[in-house]
C-alpha cells in the first residue's frame, strides 16, 4: 500500500498503457467558451487584472452590471453530440482524451453537489456533460478517458478566505476541491487525473498526498489511473505520475522520467476564441513535428482543442484531428508502443527523429522534409552489409542504401509522384539489423 507521502507515491510504477499511448487530445470547455474572446482566463483578465481589451470588449457588447456569472446560462451546448465527438477523437488516432471537468472559474461540467448552482446540470446545458462524453468515448472507441480538474478557483470566497489566512485554514480544499476529486473518481472512473492550478498553495494545504494515496490504494481506478505533477507549489516536474513541467513543454532531448507535452492547436489560447485568425492555428506539419519530436524524447503529446459554447468542435480543429489520424494510420507503428532509441535526432540530417520498436527490433527514422536530391544521408545508424534492410513505411519495395564507413548511411528514396507518396507530411524509414 502507498503511504500519503511523496517518497512512497513517487515509487509507484506508471501504468504501462500511458507510455504506449503516446498521443492524447485535451479539451478545454466551460463558461469561458461563451465570451470566447482572448483566453480561457477571461474572467481573471477582465475582473482582476482589468486588461484593456477585455474591459473594452465587455463595455462594447454587454449591458452595464453584466457579471461573469451571467455567462453561465448562455453556455448552452445545444449542438453537443457526444457520439460525434467520440467519432472525431477516434479518427484522430489519439489513445486518450482529457476533458476539463472544472477550470479555475469553478464551474463543473457535471452536476457536482459541491458546486451548487454553478454547474452544467443546474445552469446552462442542464446536462451532465462529463457523463455523456465518458459514455460515448467508452462505447464507441478504445480511448482512455481522463479528466482535468483545477485545484483552486480564482474568486471562490472560501479560497480567498484561506489565502487571507496564508493557508493556515483549509476551508476550501476540505469543503470543495477534495470532495469534487473523490466525486469525479467514484462517479466517472477516469484513468487520468490531470490536476492543475495550485493557487500558490503547498501540497499540504491541498492534502494532495492523502488523495493520491487513496487513488492508488482504494479507488475504483487504482490499477490503471495515471496522474500528472501539478499538486501544489514545488511538485511540478518533481512529484506525481508523469511530468508536465510547464505548458507547451518540449525539451528536445531525452528525459529520465516519463513526461507529457501539453500544447494547443491555437497558439494563443486553450479555450475557443471567436477572434482567432487562421495563422493562429498550427498547421498539420507543425503538429506532426511536435508529435515526432515529443515521442522521440520519451514524451506523450496532449494536443488541445477548445469547443464552442454551443458544443461544436470547430471545423479547423476537426480537420487537424483527422489529418493527424490519417498520418498515424500510415506511420503509427513508428509512434505507438515505441521506446526512445540511443539517438533522438540525427547528427547529419536536420529534422530526422528516431524511435525504436522493441517487438520488431526496428529503428524508425522519421524525416519531415523529402530531400530534393532523392537521397537521404543519416549520420547515426551503423549499417551491416548484406543484413541491414531499409523500408519506407507505406511503400512495398526495399530501398537501396550505401554504408558510410563506421557510422552513417545514404538511402536512395523511391521516385514517387505526390499521389504515390504514403502520406503528405513526414515519412518513416524502418531499418532492421543495424547495430
Amino acid at each position: 500500500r502507498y503511504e500519503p507521502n511523496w517518497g512512497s507515491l513517487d515509487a509507484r510504477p506508471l501504468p504501462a498503457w500511458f507510455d504506449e499511448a503516446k498521443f492524447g487530445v485535451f479539451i478545454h470547455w466551460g463558461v469561458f467558451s461563451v465570451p470566447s474572446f482572448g483566453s480561457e482566463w477571461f474572467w481573471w483578465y477582465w475582473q482582476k487584472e482589468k486588461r484593456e481589451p477585455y474591459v473594452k470588449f465587455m463595455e462594447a457588447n454587454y449591458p452595464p452590471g453584466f457579471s461573469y456569472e451571467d455567462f453561465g446560462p448562455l453556455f448552452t451546448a445545444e449542438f453537443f453530440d457526444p457520439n460525434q465527438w467520440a467519432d472525431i477523437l477516434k479518427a484522430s488516432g489519439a489513445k486518450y482524451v482529457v476533458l476539463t471537468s472544472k477550470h479555475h472559474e469553478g464551474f463543473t461540467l457535471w452536476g457536482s453537489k459541491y458546486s451548487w448552482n454553478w454547474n452544467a446540470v443546474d445552469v446552462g446545458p442542464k446536462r451532465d456533460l462529463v457523463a455523456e462524453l465518458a459514455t460515448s468515448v467508452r462505447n464507441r472507441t478504445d480511448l482512455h478517458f481522463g479528466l482535468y480538474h483545477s485545484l483552486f478557483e480564482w474568486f471562490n470566497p472560501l479560497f480567498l478566505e484561506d489565502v487571507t489566512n496564508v493557508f493556515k485554514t483549509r476551508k476550501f480544499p476540505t469543503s470543495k476541491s477534495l470532495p469534487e476529486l473523490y466525486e469525479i473518481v467514484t462517479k466517472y472512473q477516469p484513468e487520468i487525473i490531470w490536476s492543475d492550478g495550485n493557487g500558490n498553495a503547498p501540497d499540504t494545504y491541498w492534502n494532495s498526498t492523502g488523495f493520491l494515496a487513496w487513488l492508488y490504494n482504494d479507488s475504483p481506478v487504482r490499477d490503471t489511473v495515471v496522474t500528472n505533477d501539478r499538486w501544489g507549489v514545488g511538485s511540478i516536474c518533481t512529484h506525481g505520475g508523469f511530468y508536465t513541467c510547464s505548458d507547451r513543454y518540449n525539451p528536445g532531448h531525452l528525459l529520465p522520467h516519463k513526461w507529457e507535452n501539453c500544447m494547443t492547436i491555437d497558439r494563443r489560447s486553450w479555450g475557443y476564441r471567436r477572434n482567432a485568425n487562421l495563422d493562429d492555428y498550427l498547421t498539420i506539419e507543425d503538429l506532426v513535428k511536435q508529435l515526432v519530436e515529443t515521442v522521440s524524447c520519451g514524451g506523450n503529446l496532449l494536443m488541445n482543442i477548445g469547443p464552442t459554447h454551443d458544443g461544436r468542435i470547430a471545423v479547423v480543429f476537426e480537420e487537424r484531428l483527422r489529418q493527424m489520424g490519417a498520418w498515424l494510420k500510415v506511420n503509427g507503428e513508428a509512434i505507438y508502443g515505441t521506446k526512445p532509441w540511443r539517438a533522438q535526432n540525427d547528427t547529419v540530417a536536420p529534422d530526422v527523429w528516431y524511435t525504436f520498436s522493441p517487438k520488431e527490433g526496428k529503428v524508425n527514422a522519421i524525416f519531415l522534409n523529402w530531400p530534393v536530391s532523392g537521397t537521404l544521408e543519416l549520420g547515426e545508424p551503423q549499417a551491416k552489409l548484406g543484413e541491414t534492410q531499409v523500408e519506407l513505411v507505406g511503400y512495398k519495395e526495399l530501398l537501396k542504401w550505401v554504408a558510410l564507413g563506421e557510422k552513417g548511411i545514404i538511402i536512395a528514396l523511391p521516385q514517387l509522384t505526390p499521389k504515390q507518396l504514403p502520406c503528405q507530411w513526414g515519412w518513416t524509414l524502418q531499418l532492421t539489423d543495424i547495430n
Side-chain angles (χ1 to χ4, degrees):
R1 285 181 70 84
Y2 296 97
E3 297 296 317
N5 62 67
W6 288 121
S8 177
L9 296 167
D10 289 345
R12 176 182 184 254
L14 200 68
W17 74 261
F18 185 76
D19 178 53
E20 286 162 12
K22 305 300 184 194
F23 175 50
V25 174
F26 215 170
I27 303 176
H28 272 68
W29 199 29
V31 173
F32 50 81
S33 311
V34 178
S36 51
F37 173 88
S39 160
E40 73 291 345
W41 279 58
F42 184 94
W43 194 2
W44 181 262
Y45 292 154
W46 167 43
Q47 288 288 354
K48 182 71 177 168
E49 296 190 359
K50 299 190 170 27
R51 293 191 184 186
E52 195 184 10
Y54 294 82
V55 173
K56 280 190 163 161
F57 172 79
M58 288 307 292
E59 284 171 357
N61 298 291
Y62 294 90
F66 190 95
S67 70
Y68 188 80
E69 289 86 337
D70 293 329
F71 283 124
L74 305 176
F75 178 56
T76 46
E78 67 266 33
F79 295 125
F80 172 54
D81 177 350
N83 286 343
Q84 184 200 21
W85 282 28
D87 293 348
I88 293 171
L89 290 167
K90 185 178 182 174
S92 76
K95 297 297 183 190
Y96 60 101
V97 56
V98 178
L99 172 70
T100 49
S101 70
K102 182 193 83 170
H103 203 259
H104 314 323
E105 62 187 18
F107 186 91
T108 67
L109 296 193
W110 80 99
S112 176
K113 53 178 184 248
Y114 306 101
S115 191
W116 179 78
N117 221 28
W118 192 233
N119 68 69
V121 174
D122 292 342
V123 181
K126 306 280 170 77
R127 293 163 69 177
D128 186 332
L129 305 173
V130 174
E132 290 189 38
L133 187 61
T135 301
S136 289
V137 165
R138 286 170 174 149
N139 286 346
R140 299 171 83 90
T141 79
D142 58 358
L143 275 79
H144 296 264
F145 184 76
L147 291 173
Y148 164 109
H149 176 270
S150 172
L151 290 170
F152 90 128
E153 296 170 17
W154 291 313
F155 300 113
N156 190 302
L158 293 175
F159 179 68
L160 297 176
E161 190 184 325
D162 287 346
V163 171
T164 307
N165 299 329
V166 208
F167 304 122
K168 297 283 187 280
T169 53
R170 296 182 58 250
K171 280 187 183 174
F172 179 72
T174 51
S175 62
K176 181 77 162 67
S177 216
L178 284 164
E180 282 174 347
L181 277 167
Y182 288 106
E183 190 178 35
I184 56 174
V185 171
T186 313
K187 215 169 173 179
Y188 307 110
Q189 309 195 0
E191 291 185 279
I192 302 158
I193 295 285
W194 214 101
S195 181
D196 192 26
N198 60 43
N200 298 320
D203 65 78
T204 48
Y205 168 78
W206 298 112
N207 190 25
S208 299
T209 55
F211 168 73
L212 290 171
W214 169 81
L215 187 69
Y216 296 166
N217 290 324
D218 302 309
S219 81
V221 286
R222 58 188 173 269
D223 298 327
T224 55
V225 74
V226 296
T227 60
N228 66 344
D229 55 350
R230 303 185 180 195
W231 295 100
V233 171
S235 72
I236 195 164
C237 222
T238 311
H239 296 303
F242 59 88
Y243 293 171
T244 62
C245 301
S246 67
D247 292 351
R248 304 180 177 83
Y249 181 69
N250 188 2
H253 58 86
L254 189 61
L255 295 189
H257 191 93
K258 184 64 195 181
W259 61 283
E260 182 182 71
N261 172 4
C262 63
M263 45 70 73
T264 58
I265 297 177
D266 172 356
R267 299 166 205 269
R268 295 161 177 262
S269 175
W270 298 79
Y272 180 68
R273 291 189 307 141
R274 285 177 292 164
N275 56 324
N277 298 317
L278 185 61
D279 62 4
D280 291 333
Y281 296 107
L282 295 178
T283 64
I284 184 59
E285 289 86 352
D286 297 329
L287 296 170
V288 166
K289 184 176 158 72
Q290 285 276 332
L291 177 67
V292 168
E293 289 177 1
T294 299
V295 172
S296 290
C297 297
N300 279 14
L301 188 72
L302 184 61
M303 187 170 92
N304 177 74
I305 60 170
T308 60
H309 78 280
D310 53 15
R312 290 172 296 117
I313 293 174
V315 287
V316 66
F317 289 135
E318 180 181 347
E319 182 185 48
R320 294 292 180 275
L321 292 171
R322 290 187 184 278
Q323 286 172 323
M324 192 66 112
W327 187 84
L328 282 162
K329 220 176 196 116
V330 177
N331 301 281
E333 52 196 289
I335 299 292
Y336 305 126
T338 59
K339 299 284 177 206
W341 192 45
R342 59 171 177 78
Q344 276 59 67
N345 53 338
D346 197 68
T347 39
V348 174
D351 279 331
V352 176
W353 294 82
Y354 292 103
T355 63
F356 180 66
S357 303
K359 283 186 189 130
E360 298 81 16
K362 289 178 180 175
V363 172
N364 308 297
I366 307 167
F367 60 107
L368 299 173
N369 299 304
W370 192 279
V372 181
S373 65
T375 59
L376 185 65
E377 182 182 334
L378 300 177
E380 279 303 321
Q382 294 171 289
K384 292 184 278 194
L385 212 61
E387 291 179 48
T388 299
Q389 290 191 333
V390 182
E391 290 172 84
L392 174 68
V393 172
Y395 177 75
K396 288 188 181 66
E397 294 158 42
L398 290 174
L399 305 190
K400 294 190 168 65
W401 58 268
V402 177
L404 294 171
E406 301 238 319
K407 213 174 177 190
I409 184 173
I410 295 182
I411 297 158
L413 297 171
Q415 292 185 323
L416 303 174
T417 65
K419 281 267 192 287
Q420 291 171 315
L421 286 170
C423 55
Q424 293 169 273
W425 326 282
W427 303 269
T428 302
L429 294 172
Q430 289 197 319
L431 296 86
T432 29
D433 288 311
I434 62 167
N435 287 332

